[in-house]
Amino acid sequence: MDGDALALVRASLPRLSAAEARVAEVILGDPTLVVDLAITDLARVCRTSLSTVARFAQSLGYSGYRELRVECARAVTRAQAQQERFGFDDAVIDLEDTAEAVVAKIAAQEVSAIEQTALAVDFAGIDRVASAVAAARHTELFGQGASALTAQDFRFKLARIGCSAGQSSDPHVAFASAALLSPGAVAIGISHSGETSETLRGLEIARATGATTVALTNAPESSITRLADVVLYTRARESPLRIAAMSSRIAQLALLDVLFVRVVQMRGGASAEPLRLTRDAVAPKRG
Protein backbone atom coordinates (compact mmCIF):
# COMPACT_ATOMS: atom_id res chain seq x y z
CA MET A 1 0.00 0.00 0.00
CA ASP A 2 1.34 3.47 -0.86
CA GLY A 3 2.04 6.05 1.81
CA ASP A 4 3.48 6.07 5.32
CA ALA A 5 1.56 3.95 7.84
CA LEU A 6 2.09 6.41 10.69
CA ALA A 7 0.89 9.31 8.54
CA LEU A 8 -2.24 7.31 7.73
CA VAL A 9 -2.81 6.56 11.41
CA ARG A 10 -2.39 10.24 12.30
CA ALA A 11 -4.75 11.37 9.53
CA SER A 12 -7.41 8.86 10.61
CA LEU A 13 -7.83 10.24 14.14
CA PRO A 14 -10.77 12.64 13.49
CA ARG A 15 -13.02 9.89 12.14
CA LEU A 16 -12.29 7.09 14.63
CA SER A 17 -14.48 5.70 17.39
CA ALA A 18 -13.21 6.09 20.96
CA ALA A 19 -11.87 2.51 21.03
CA GLU A 20 -10.15 2.81 17.65
CA ALA A 21 -8.71 6.21 18.66
CA ARG A 22 -6.99 4.51 21.63
CA VAL A 23 -5.35 2.09 19.21
CA ALA A 24 -4.17 4.98 17.01
CA GLU A 25 -2.82 6.96 19.97
CA VAL A 26 -0.89 3.96 21.30
CA ILE A 27 0.64 3.35 17.87
CA LEU A 28 1.61 7.00 17.44
CA GLY A 29 3.03 7.10 20.98
CA ASP A 30 5.30 4.11 20.33
CA PRO A 31 5.16 2.63 16.79
CA THR A 32 7.54 -0.15 17.80
CA LEU A 33 4.72 -1.72 19.83
CA VAL A 34 2.95 -2.73 16.61
CA VAL A 35 6.18 -4.21 15.29
CA ASP A 36 6.88 -6.15 18.47
CA LEU A 37 3.43 -7.21 19.69
CA ALA A 38 0.94 -9.76 18.43
CA ILE A 39 -2.60 -8.52 17.92
CA THR A 40 -3.75 -10.00 21.23
CA ASP A 41 -1.02 -8.16 23.14
CA LEU A 42 -1.66 -4.84 21.39
CA ALA A 43 -5.39 -5.15 22.10
CA ARG A 44 -4.59 -5.63 25.80
CA VAL A 45 -2.28 -2.59 25.85
CA CYS A 46 -5.00 -0.52 24.15
CA ARG A 47 -7.70 -1.83 26.52
CA THR A 48 -9.83 -2.99 23.63
CA SER A 49 -10.80 -6.11 21.67
CA LEU A 50 -9.06 -8.04 18.90
CA SER A 51 -11.88 -7.15 16.53
CA THR A 52 -11.39 -3.41 17.21
CA VAL A 53 -7.67 -3.62 16.36
CA ALA A 54 -8.43 -5.62 13.20
CA ARG A 55 -11.19 -3.20 12.21
CA PHE A 56 -8.84 -0.26 12.78
CA ALA A 57 -6.21 -1.79 10.46
CA GLN A 58 -8.84 -2.36 7.78
CA SER A 59 -10.14 1.20 8.12
CA LEU A 60 -6.68 2.40 7.02
CA GLY A 61 -6.94 0.30 3.88
CA TYR A 62 -4.85 -2.67 5.04
CA SER A 63 -6.01 -6.26 4.70
CA GLY A 64 -5.53 -6.79 8.42
CA TYR A 65 -3.21 -6.43 11.40
CA ARG A 66 -0.38 -8.36 9.77
CA GLU A 67 -0.11 -5.87 6.89
CA LEU A 68 -0.33 -2.95 9.33
CA ARG A 69 2.61 -4.43 11.29
CA VAL A 70 4.70 -4.71 8.13
CA GLU A 71 3.97 -1.12 7.08
CA CYS A 72 4.64 0.24 10.57
CA ALA A 73 7.96 -1.60 10.59
CA ARG A 74 8.87 0.10 7.33
CA ALA A 75 7.87 3.49 8.74
CA VAL A 76 9.97 2.93 11.87
CA THR A 77 12.95 1.88 9.76
CA ARG A 78 12.64 5.02 7.64
CA ALA A 79 12.41 7.19 10.75
CA GLN A 80 15.50 5.56 12.25
CA ALA A 81 17.40 6.06 8.99
CA GLN A 82 16.39 9.73 8.97
CA GLN A 83 17.59 10.21 12.54
CA GLU A 84 20.95 8.67 11.68
CA ARG A 85 21.18 10.73 8.48
CA PHE A 86 20.62 14.07 10.21
CA GLY A 87 22.23 13.22 13.55
CA PHE A 88 19.48 13.54 16.19
CA ASP A 89 16.98 11.40 18.05
CA ASP A 90 13.92 13.67 17.87
CA ALA A 91 12.96 15.97 14.98
CA VAL A 92 10.74 18.14 17.19
CA ILE A 93 12.22 21.64 17.45
CA ASP A 94 12.78 22.87 21.00
CA LEU A 95 13.17 26.46 22.17
CA GLU A 96 16.61 25.58 23.54
CA ASP A 97 17.92 24.05 20.28
CA THR A 98 21.14 25.41 18.80
CA ALA A 99 21.25 26.82 15.27
CA GLU A 100 22.92 23.57 14.15
CA ALA A 101 20.10 21.49 15.61
CA VAL A 102 17.42 23.72 14.07
CA VAL A 103 19.03 23.40 10.63
CA ALA A 104 19.18 19.61 10.92
CA LYS A 105 15.63 19.26 12.22
CA ILE A 106 14.04 21.54 9.64
CA ALA A 107 15.94 19.73 6.89
CA ALA A 108 14.70 16.41 8.23
CA GLN A 109 11.09 17.60 8.53
CA GLU A 110 11.00 19.05 5.04
CA VAL A 111 12.74 16.11 3.41
CA SER A 112 10.29 13.81 5.19
CA ALA A 113 7.30 15.89 4.05
CA ILE A 114 8.38 15.60 0.41
CA GLU A 115 9.22 11.91 0.67
CA GLN A 116 5.95 10.96 2.40
CA THR A 117 3.91 13.07 -0.03
CA ALA A 118 5.66 11.39 -2.97
CA LEU A 119 4.94 7.94 -1.51
CA ALA A 120 1.23 8.75 -1.25
CA VAL A 121 0.71 10.43 -4.64
CA ASP A 122 -2.46 9.41 -6.45
CA PHE A 123 -1.09 9.16 -10.00
CA ALA A 124 -4.51 8.88 -11.61
CA GLY A 125 -5.68 11.92 -9.64
CA ILE A 126 -2.64 13.97 -10.65
CA ASP A 127 -3.19 13.15 -14.30
CA ARG A 128 -6.91 13.87 -14.11
CA VAL A 129 -6.18 17.35 -12.71
CA ALA A 130 -3.32 17.95 -15.14
CA SER A 131 -5.55 17.04 -18.08
CA ALA A 132 -8.26 19.41 -16.85
CA VAL A 133 -5.81 22.29 -16.33
CA ALA A 134 -4.11 21.70 -19.68
CA ALA A 135 -7.46 21.97 -21.47
CA ALA A 136 -9.05 24.65 -19.27
CA ARG A 137 -10.02 28.10 -20.47
CA HIS A 138 -9.04 29.38 -17.04
CA THR A 139 -7.73 28.05 -13.74
CA GLU A 140 -8.52 29.90 -10.50
CA LEU A 141 -6.59 29.18 -7.30
CA PHE A 142 -7.80 29.69 -3.74
CA GLY A 143 -5.67 29.76 -0.60
CA GLN A 144 -5.09 31.86 2.49
CA GLY A 145 -1.97 32.54 4.54
CA ALA A 146 0.91 30.25 3.61
CA SER A 147 -1.35 28.41 1.16
CA ALA A 148 -1.81 31.70 -0.70
CA LEU A 149 1.93 31.72 -1.37
CA THR A 150 1.66 28.20 -2.79
CA ALA A 151 -1.26 29.29 -4.95
CA GLN A 152 0.69 32.33 -6.23
CA ASP A 153 3.63 30.13 -7.17
CA PHE A 154 1.43 27.78 -9.21
CA ARG A 155 -0.40 30.68 -10.87
CA PHE A 156 2.97 32.10 -11.96
CA LYS A 157 4.07 28.73 -13.35
CA LEU A 158 0.87 28.42 -15.38
CA ALA A 159 1.30 31.96 -16.71
CA ARG A 160 4.81 31.04 -17.90
CA ILE A 161 3.34 28.41 -20.25
CA GLY A 162 0.49 30.56 -21.55
CA CYS A 163 -2.32 29.21 -19.35
CA SER A 164 -4.90 31.68 -18.09
CA ALA A 165 -4.78 31.58 -14.29
CA GLY A 166 -5.86 33.77 -11.40
CA GLN A 167 -5.43 34.04 -7.64
CA SER A 168 -6.18 36.65 -4.99
CA SER A 169 -5.57 36.66 -1.25
CA ASP A 170 -8.47 39.11 -0.86
CA PRO A 171 -11.51 36.90 -0.16
CA HIS A 172 -13.97 39.29 -1.84
CA VAL A 173 -11.90 39.35 -5.04
CA ALA A 174 -11.49 35.57 -4.86
CA PHE A 175 -15.24 35.02 -4.44
CA ALA A 176 -16.03 37.32 -7.36
CA SER A 177 -13.53 35.46 -9.56
CA ALA A 178 -15.07 32.16 -8.51
CA ALA A 179 -18.56 33.36 -9.43
CA LEU A 180 -17.42 34.16 -12.98
CA LEU A 181 -16.12 30.66 -13.70
CA SER A 182 -18.02 28.25 -15.92
CA PRO A 183 -17.90 24.63 -17.11
CA GLY A 184 -14.49 24.01 -18.65
CA ALA A 185 -12.71 26.06 -15.98
CA VAL A 186 -10.75 24.60 -13.07
CA ALA A 187 -10.82 25.78 -9.45
CA ILE A 188 -8.07 24.60 -7.09
CA GLY A 189 -8.46 25.10 -3.34
CA ILE A 190 -5.34 24.73 -1.19
CA SER A 191 -5.67 24.21 2.57
CA HIS A 192 -3.39 22.15 4.82
CA SER A 193 -6.16 21.66 7.39
CA GLY A 194 -8.94 21.43 4.83
CA GLU A 195 -11.02 23.77 6.98
CA THR A 196 -9.96 27.31 5.95
CA SER A 197 -13.32 29.07 5.65
CA GLU A 198 -12.40 31.49 2.85
CA THR A 199 -10.93 28.70 0.73
CA LEU A 200 -13.98 26.52 1.32
CA ARG A 201 -16.29 29.35 0.27
CA GLY A 202 -14.30 30.05 -2.90
CA LEU A 203 -14.42 26.38 -3.92
CA GLU A 204 -18.11 26.18 -3.06
CA ILE A 205 -18.91 29.12 -5.35
CA ALA A 206 -16.74 27.69 -8.12
CA ARG A 207 -18.44 24.31 -7.85
CA ALA A 208 -21.84 25.94 -8.34
CA THR A 209 -20.68 27.39 -11.68
CA GLY A 210 -19.92 23.93 -13.07
CA ALA A 211 -16.13 24.35 -12.92
CA THR A 212 -14.00 21.29 -12.13
CA THR A 213 -13.03 21.59 -8.47
CA VAL A 214 -9.78 20.32 -6.98
CA ALA A 215 -8.68 20.21 -3.34
CA LEU A 216 -5.08 20.03 -2.19
CA THR A 217 -4.98 19.18 1.51
CA ASN A 218 -3.24 17.19 4.21
CA ALA A 219 -6.49 16.19 5.87
CA PRO A 220 -8.64 13.28 4.64
CA GLU A 221 -12.28 13.60 5.70
CA SER A 222 -11.93 17.40 6.00
CA SER A 223 -14.60 19.79 4.71
CA ILE A 224 -12.68 20.73 1.55
CA THR A 225 -12.69 17.13 0.30
CA ARG A 226 -16.49 17.24 0.07
CA LEU A 227 -16.34 20.21 -2.30
CA ALA A 228 -13.86 18.70 -4.76
CA ASP A 229 -14.19 16.52 -7.83
CA VAL A 230 -10.58 15.44 -7.28
CA VAL A 231 -8.56 15.50 -4.05
CA LEU A 232 -4.75 15.56 -3.97
CA TYR A 233 -3.13 14.82 -0.61
CA THR A 234 0.09 15.98 0.98
CA ARG A 235 1.65 14.08 3.88
CA ALA A 236 3.30 16.74 6.02
CA ARG A 237 3.61 16.87 9.79
CA GLU A 238 4.21 20.28 11.32
CA SER A 239 6.41 20.67 14.39
CA PRO A 240 4.56 21.56 17.63
CA LEU A 241 6.79 24.67 17.61
CA ARG A 242 4.98 25.91 14.51
CA ILE A 243 6.11 29.50 14.12
CA ALA A 244 4.82 29.39 10.53
CA ALA A 245 3.79 26.78 8.00
CA MET A 246 7.00 25.05 6.95
CA SER A 247 6.65 21.36 6.17
CA SER A 248 3.11 21.86 4.89
CA ARG A 249 4.22 24.55 2.43
CA ILE A 250 7.12 22.45 1.14
CA ALA A 251 4.83 19.45 0.59
CA GLN A 252 2.29 21.60 -1.27
CA LEU A 253 4.96 23.11 -3.52
CA ALA A 254 6.41 19.68 -4.31
CA LEU A 255 3.02 18.23 -5.24
CA LEU A 256 2.16 21.23 -7.41
CA ASP A 257 5.54 20.97 -9.13
CA VAL A 258 4.60 17.42 -10.13
CA LEU A 259 1.24 18.68 -11.36
CA PHE A 260 2.85 21.49 -13.33
CA VAL A 261 5.28 19.17 -15.11
CA ARG A 262 2.40 16.89 -16.09
CA VAL A 263 0.49 19.92 -17.44
CA VAL A 264 3.52 20.92 -19.53
CA GLN A 265 3.83 17.37 -20.85
CA MET A 266 0.15 17.19 -21.78
CA ARG A 267 0.23 20.55 -23.55
CA GLY A 268 3.24 19.42 -25.57
CA GLY A 269 4.51 22.01 -28.03
CA ALA A 270 1.92 24.57 -26.92
CA SER A 271 4.09 25.34 -23.89
CA ALA A 272 7.39 25.81 -25.74
CA GLU A 273 6.86 29.27 -27.23
CA PRO A 274 5.33 30.86 -24.10
CA LEU A 275 8.21 29.48 -22.05
CA ARG A 276 10.74 30.98 -24.48
CA LEU A 277 9.00 34.36 -24.56
CA THR A 278 8.64 34.61 -20.78
CA ARG A 279 12.22 33.44 -20.24
CA ASP A 280 13.50 36.08 -22.65
CA ALA A 281 11.34 38.74 -21.01
CA VAL A 282 12.91 38.24 -17.57
CA ALA A 283 16.46 37.40 -18.73
CA PRO A 284 19.09 40.05 -17.84
CA LYS A 285 20.07 42.21 -20.80
CA ARG A 286 23.72 42.10 -21.85
CA GLY A 287 25.76 44.95 -23.17
Side-chain angles (χ1 to χ4, degrees):
M1 182 170 184
D2 292 335
D4 181 279
L6 300 183
L8 290 174
V9 171
R10 193 175 298 112
S12 74
L13 280 169
R15 59 181 171 80
L16 298 177
S17 66
E20 290 174 336
R22 284 201 302 275
V23 178
E25 288 162 1
V26 167
I27 292 173
L28 292 174
D30 185 359
T32 60
L33 287 175
V34 184
V35 180
D36 297 336
L37 298 180
I39 187 170
T40 51
D41 297 320
L42 183 67
R44 185 168 58 252
V45 169
C46 298
R47 308 186 312 280
T48 192
S49 64
L50 297 180
S51 59
T52 296
V53 176
R55 188 167 58 250
F56 169 72
Q58 291 168 353
S59 76
L60 298 180
Y62 298 115
S63 59
Y65 182 65
R66 178 178 296 180
E67 188 178 6
L68 175 61
R69 285 183 78 180
V70 170
E71 292 304 318
C72 282
R74 289 176 179 169
V76 169
T77 299
R78 282 194 294 265
Q80 290 170 341
Q82 177 177 290
Q83 290 169 2
E84 293 174 5
R85 177 181 177 185
F86 290 98
F88 53 78
D89 295 327
D90 187 349
V92 175
I93 297 172
D94 187 87
L95 288 172
E96 304 303 319
D97 279 340
T98 64
E100 181 181 10
V102 170
V103 168
K105 289 181 177 183
I106 288 179
Q109 289 173 1
E110 297 193 351
V111 166
S112 176
I114 293 173
E115 288 179 341
Q116 299 311 317
T117 296
L119 283 171
V121 166
D122 174 3
F123 302 116
I126 280 283
D127 277 355
R128 184 179 170 191
V129 177
S131 177
V133 171
R137 292 191 292 272
H138 181 79
T139 297
E140 192 70 26
L141 293 117
F142 304 93
Q144 295 293 310
S147 293
L149 301 178
T150 308
Q152 289 171 15
D153 179 79
F154 193 61
R155 181 197 63 182
F156 175 68
K157 283 183 168 67
L158 292 179
R160 288 289 309 273
I161 59 172
C163 290
S164 173
Q167 180 274 336
S168 176
S169 298
D170 182 322
H172 287 186
V173 174
F175 299 162
S177 298
L180 296 175
L181 298 177
S182 60
V186 175
I188 302 176
I190 304 171
S191 172
H192 178 73
S193 68
E195 300 295 344
T196 306
S197 59
E198 297 89 346
T199 303
L200 294 177
R201 179 59 178 153
L203 214 58
E204 183 180 38
I205 295 170
R207 185 182 182 91
T209 70
T212 298
T213 54
V214 179
L216 194 159
T217 184
N218 203 77
E221 309 297 328
S222 60
S223 298
I224 199 170
T225 64
R226 295 189 284 275
L227 296 171
D229 297 311
V230 188
V231 182
L232 302 178
Y233 291 106
T234 56
R235 291 283 184 262
R237 184 184 182 189
E238 290 291 359
S239 166
L241 187 62
R242 191 175 186 270
I243 300 169
M246 294 183 287
S247 297
S248 59
R249 184 192 68 241
I250 292 298
Q252 289 172 355
L253 288 169
L255 190 55
L256 287 175
D257 280 348
V258 173
L259 178 60
F260 175 69
V261 170
R262 292 299 288 153
V263 171
V264 171
Q265 291 175 321
M266 290 181 181
R267 281 172 53 84
S271 296
E273 183 64 6
L275 273 175
R276 185 190 68 78
L277 291 171
T278 53
R279 182 176 59 249
D280 291 348
V282 300
K285 300 298 182 183
R286 300 192 179 211

